[in-house]
Amino acid sequence: MKHILILVVLFVSLPAAFGQQVQLLTVDNLNERLEQGKDTTYVINFWATWCAPCIKELPYFEKLQEEKQKEKLKVLLVSVDFKSQLEKRVIPFVSRHSLKNEVFLLDEQDQQEYIDKINKEWSGAIPATLFVKGKNKKFLEQEFTYPKLLSEYNNFNK
Amino acid sequence: MKALVLFTMMFCGLVATAQITTLEPGATAPGFSLKNIDGKMVSPENYPDAKGFILVFTANTCPYAIAYETRLVELDQKFSSQGYPVIAINPNPESLSKGDSYEKMQDKVNEASFSFPYLLDEGQSITNLYGARVTPHIFLLQKEDNNLKIVYTGAIDNDTEDINPDKIKYVENAIASLEKGEAIETASTKSIGCTVKRPAIE
């Protein structure tokens, strides 16, 4: 009995021991999630492990979530790495950098289609960031410094 | 006066890097003569029998460019005999992207068995004339009298990861339409890939 209990405890705590998980996310999944949010401000950053400017600004998104803990803010980091790279690159990257925000891998195949579904003005280039609160949306295809990100977030939340 | 000239120069420099305009279907394609990995210059004028070109801006290390290497070789093998050979240009300067040096381009041609020229664009002048944004970025060119005209720009197909057997092959479809003398149904798509490395705007 005792052994079973230990096994159960081990099993339940395993995901925590392996740290951050990366889930697959379609654009429809993302939209459903955003619709549930109502008064939450979502900051969704599109990035990839091969994109140097993206990696440079990831800590700013981590910092934003940490500093605004008391506000209704949710940062989502959505990787556009290839699906075949989930185990090989994305998960190791996330644990190596100890990312605390929720990380997803975009589960879409036809870029011509999903880019427009996320935002019609998006060329598809990353980094790109989407701010969403209820029906308000702002899409920015650009790199951020921390002060720039902070002021963009504050302005959006006004 | 000197200050004004200096100011104007600075301004021009700024505009040159800030505004990249991508040439669209219908535009005349700028000519070029660039150095291939074997040291020889390559120009569209070297191909008197070609009906056009599959011009691609592609690079050494970008995962999207790598994902399409085999498909570029296949396009060249399929279409050079039909009059549309592939010509590849690396748009990234070594100063901003070490993996895109001339030597590494030579390695790439061997390793990926490129059957087509892979050209160095020193100073990014041709890259900027076309307004290439990402790697890989396709410009399908058609010969018209003595000029080259852009007839399609964007992606090679809509499935970078190459897992969908029903993918839409934009370049192949466009050439098929040209061959039939029909209008190209999809003349431009979003170019998907890694951003072309350009000097930062100060």
Side-chain angles (χ1 to χ4, degrees):
Chain A
M1 185 60 201
K2 208 175 159 189
H3 286 290
I4 293 176
L5 199 70
I6 291 171
L7 264 179
V8 170
V9 169
L10 253 177
F11 191 73
V12 170
S13 55
L14 259 182
F18 278 106
Q20 173 65 267
Q21 293 204 341
V22 179
Q23 286 186 335
L24 293 175
L25 181 85
T26 63
V27 177
D28 289 342
N29 295 154
L30 175 65
N31 287 336
E32 280 162 29
R33 169 90 185 253
L34 299 179
E35 274 164 28
Q36 288 163 12
K38 295 186 174 92
D39 57 348
T40 298
T41 301
Y42 288 96
V43 176
I44 305 134
N45 176 246
F46 296 93
W47 65 287
T49 57
W50 49 263
C51 162
C54 303
I55 293 169
K56 195 174 153 200
E57 67 174 22
L58 278 178
Y60 311 144
F61 289 89
E62 295 278 293
K63 192 172 170 189
L64 182 73
Q65 180 73 74
E66 208 178 298
E67 284 199 357
K68 300 286 179 185
Q69 254 174 7
K70 289 186 181 142
E71 297 180 20
K72 285 199 164 180
L73 161 68
K74 191 76 204 160
V75 172
L76 307 176
L77 305 176
V78 181
S79 151
V80 301
D81 280 87
F82 298 154
K83 249 191 283 177
S84 58
Q85 302 299 309
L86 176 64
E87 306 282 341
K88 256 186 278 173
R89 292 202 60 171
V90 184
I91 292 176
F93 180 94
V94 168
S95 60
R96 198 166 61 243
H97 290 259
S98 317
L99 296 180
K100 291 188 184 67
N101 283 308
E102 277 184 72
V103 185
F104 298 92
L105 182 74
L106 195 64
D107 187 13
E108 295 283 346
Q109 205 180 4
D110 184 346
Q111 293 100 343
Q112 301 294 333
E113 202 180 277
Y114 81 67
I115 287 167
D116 274 349
K117 263 167 88 180
I118 288 167
N119 192 284
K120 288 238 183 296
E121 282 156 37
W122 189 13
S123 78
I126 51 170
T129 302
L130 176 64
F131 296 78
V132 179
K133 185 179 187 179
K135 291 215 161 79
N136 281 341
K137 283 187 181 185
K138 187 168 189 186
F139 188 83
L140 291 168
E141 186 177 316
Q142 63 167 69
E143 293 166 31
F144 283 108
T145 58
Y146 188 66
K148 256 160 82 187
L149 178 61
L150 193 62
S151 74
E152 201 60 61
Y153 168 76
N154 288 333
N155 281 336
F156 182 77
N157 252 350
K158 260 182 205 164
Chain B
M1 184 59 199
K2 207 172 160 190
L4 184 69
V5 171
L6 199 70
F7 180 76
T8 312
M9 276 169 59
M10 276 171 60
F11 190 68
C12 288
L14 206 76
V15 169
T17 44
Q19 291 187 336
I20 295 297
T21 311
T22 304
L23 294 181
E24 288 179 15
T28 301
F32 54 85
S33 179
L34 298 173
K35 189 166 82 170
N36 196 5
I37 49 110
D38 59 4
K40 292 180 184 150
M41 303 302 279
V42 171
S43 158
E45 291 171 15
N46 302 145
Y47 299 75
D49 299 331
K51 293 187 236 171
F53 297 92
I54 303 169
L55 178 65
V56 59
F57 291 86
T58 191
N60 287 347
T61 60
C62 165
Y64 284 79
I66 292 169
Y68 275 109
E69 281 166 0
T70 314
R71 275 171 276 181
L72 280 177
V73 172
E74 284 166 2
L75 279 174
D76 186 55
Q77 280 162 356
K78 183 164 179 186
F79 291 107
S80 60
S81 58
Q82 294 184 37
Y84 298 89
V86 169
I87 297 180
I89 297 176
N90 187 335
N92 292 334
E94 184 186 351
S95 57
L96 300 174
S97 175
K98 277 190 191 141
D100 283 308
S101 69
Y102 188 61
E103 291 72 28
K104 297 231 163 93
M105 285 170 64
Q106 293 170 323
D107 294 344
K108 175 60 73 184
V109 168
N110 289 326
E111 177 196 307
S113 309
F114 281 178
S115 50
F116 44 81
Y118 187 28
L119 311 176
L120 182 74
D121 184 20
E122 270 170 301
Q124 293 186 301
S125 56
I126 302 304
T127 300
N128 289 337
L129 278 178
Y130 279 84
R133 288 180 180 277
V134 300
T135 57
H137 195 162
I138 292 276
F139 293 80
L140 181 64
L141 315 180
Q142 186 186 25
K143 255 188 209 170
E144 216 182 52
D145 304 320
N146 276 328
N147 281 322
L148 284 170
K149 196 177 82 178
I150 295 170
V151 291
Y152 169 82
T153 64
I156 293 166
D157 57 44
N158 66 341
D159 176 27
T160 305
E161 289 183 73
D162 204 10
I163 35 189
N164 176 12
D166 300 321
K167 64 171 74 72
I168 306 172
K169 299 176 175 178
Y170 301 113
V171 173
E172 294 203 19
N173 293 350
I175 296 176
S177 300
L178 290 178
E179 288 292 275
K180 283 187 226 154
E182 291 171 359
I184 294 171
E185 196 187 335
T186 307
S188 76
T189 55
K190 285 179 191 279
S191 47
I192 316 288
C194 310
T195 311
V196 167
K197 308 288 181 290
R198 290 187 159 93
I201 304 152
E202 294 301 332

